[in-house]
Amino acid sequence: MQCTAQVESGVAILHLHGKLDAVSVADFREEAQKQVRSGYRRMVLDFAQVDHVDGQGLAGLVAFYRRLTVEHKGRLAIAGLNPELRMFFDRTALTRVVPVAYEWQEAAREVRS
Amino acid sequence: MTIAVRTDATQPKDDGLPLVAAIIWAFGALCSIIACFVMLSSAPRDTSVGGFPWFGAGLHLTGVVLAYFGTRVAKGSHPSSAGWALLVSFFALFGGPLGFLAGVACYLFGVGQPTEMPLVDVVKAEMFVRTTAHSKVEQAGAFDVQLREELRTQPIVDLLPYADVATAIAIINKLADQRKRGDLIMLRELSQDRRPEVYQFALSRLDEFERDYATRIYHLKEQLNYRPDDVGLRVELAKVYYDYTNSGLLDDSLEDYYWEMTLAQLFEAMRFESNRQDLVVDMARLFLMRQMYREAEAAVDDVLRKEPANLDAQLLMLECMTERAQIEGDPALLQQARKRALESAWAIKLPRSQEQHPLFKVAQYWFGRTRTSEKAAPHA
């Protein structure tokens, strides 16, 4: 799992690559926390290059989402989910609360607004 | 669904069925079948004539004995060997060849099953949240009992700073026996006591609980290694994680970690069984536990769209709304919750047979008085 970060008009975009699972969730958490420590409270997670997310990965994502939104009063959006991942995310009902977009640019606009 | 946990150290045999046992069983079954055939074919139409079919009876008993020994050989030196052997031979004794086969089948299917039943709630352990809901019923139904218990405990807890060692140890025992979250948090504080006798005793009691959770988690994880797609096991593991998270044994960061572990197991279970709404309700309860009110409401709302009469979901929705109303200081939300409760057809249509349901008292708490007062209103 690789995470690359970029900043676009005050929004931290985290591009994830590969699998988000029990092994790689720690890398994701560290990278995401780094952005929060740097002061970014608006973030987009780009899943366009992610082909698999397991329960542990999704739990890590939810835990981070909670930290960002509840503890730091931040905002998060998700982009680039493939249909299989979208279905998995939909089951958790999180997609009804977290903005989901096809492209990260669109998601970034969403969290900025 | 009832989920069982294997807690004994001895793992079931998984090295297959010994050939000798299979041969003994085969002979036994053969004896039993021949005995049946001999006894039926030699039975006179007139029962007043003809002797007792000794040969057939002997064969039958031989079959029973072989069933016993076959099972003993199959099970080896395991402590449950004699029990299984007796069970199979009883089947063979009273059921003839069919009983023999049924007994052996019973053994073959049953021998790999867990030997110990769930630790908390065998019958209602569908979900760990159900256990939580049940405790709420206890709070609602037997509130006075709980209050009395606390009133009895509180004075000795207040004495703690002035207590001598013997009293402190008695208090530790009392707290450990109650095993509630608040009690265990207090026990953790006692483990910082400056007197070695006190803090060592407190630590030893805490260690008991830690080891209990660790053992349960270890066994469930071991079983999951062999059956990774077993949803029941995942749910049970989630339940143990949930209990551990709420136990009061952990500090904040570890609580967060185990909360995440609970969620991970639930998500994995949801991946395998996407249509289980109870899992979604449990997930929502986890969200609520960490102040994710909107997320919890969204999840419960999803459930209620699919199952409008889901009692757990209805109650959880009200809990979400009332908690959010308190946090946000928004009385409109409380009114909205009340309106929603009144509109809930499920509560009005709740049949009388449901009065035995553990959640009925909670439902009554929420809706009972409201309905009564509505009926009374026209007279007033």
Side-chain angles (χ1 to χ4, degrees), chain A residues 25 29 52-67 69-71 84 88 90-94 96-97, chain B residues 256-257 259-261 263-265 267-268 270-274 280 283 287 290-292 294-295 297-302 305:
Chain A
V25 71
R29 195 180 290 127
H52 177 75
V53 177
D54 73 355
Q56 191 88 54
L58 188 54
L61 193 153
V62 172
F64 170 69
Y65 165 76
R66 186 190 76 81
R67 249 170 251 132
T69 56
V70 177
E71 292 175 13
E84 192 190 335
F88 187 34
D90 278 345
R91 274 178 217 152
T92 66
L94 267 182
R96 285 182 55 194
V97 186
Chain B
D256 280 350
Y257 172 77
W259 177 81
E260 196 177 316
M261 290 292 109
L263 211 50
Q265 293 306 325
F267 286 152
E268 276 301 313
M270 284 158 82
R271 177 198 289 284
F272 291 114
E273 286 192 13
S274 55
V280 184
M283 180 191 71
F287 287 166
R290 283 289 183 271
Q291 296 87 42
M292 296 167 72
R294 289 180 193 282
E295 294 76 9
E297 278 180 35
V300 179
D301 196 47
D302 261 7
R305 280 184 198 180

Side-chain angles (χ1 to χ4, degrees), chain B residues 26-133:
Chain B
F27 271 111
L30 197 64
C31 286
S32 197
I33 291 166
I34 295 171
C36 180
F37 178 76
V38 167
M39 289 172 88
L40 287 176
S41 61
S42 67
R45 287 181 191 283
D46 182 1
T47 51
S48 62
V49 294
F52 183 77
W54 289 106
F55 180 61
L59 271 179
H60 178 62
L61 287 177
T62 310
V64 172
V65 171
L66 287 174
Y68 180 86
F69 283 110
T71 315
R72 286 304 293 257
V73 171
K75 194 68 183 158
S77 57
H78 195 277
S80 67
S81 171
W84 278 111
L86 276 175
L87 181 79
V88 176
S89 51
F90 265 98
F91 267 89
L93 180 65
F94 295 110
L98 284 178
F100 191 104
L101 294 175
V104 171
C106 216
Y107 169 81
L108 292 176
F109 282 113
V111 76
Q113 298 299 315
T115 54
E116 226 169 275
M117 293 316 285
L119 299 161
V120 182
D121 196 351
V122 179
V123 185
K124 298 184 186 79
E126 283 184 4
M127 283 308 304
F128 59 95
V129 169
R130 281 191 189 282
T131 314
T132 320

Side-chain angles (χ1 to χ4, degrees), chain B residues 153-186:
Chain B
T153 314
Q154 196 56 44
I156 57 167
V157 170
D158 290 340
L159 279 175
L160 208 53
Y162 321 102
D164 56 10
V165 172
T167 315
I169 285 175
I171 293 169
I172 289 169
N173 273 329
K174 181 73 182 170
L175 294 172
D177 290 345
Q178 289 185 173
R179 206 179 164 163
K180 286 185 210 145
R181 182 181 164 82
D183 301 325
L184 293 190
I185 290 172
M186 205 174 288

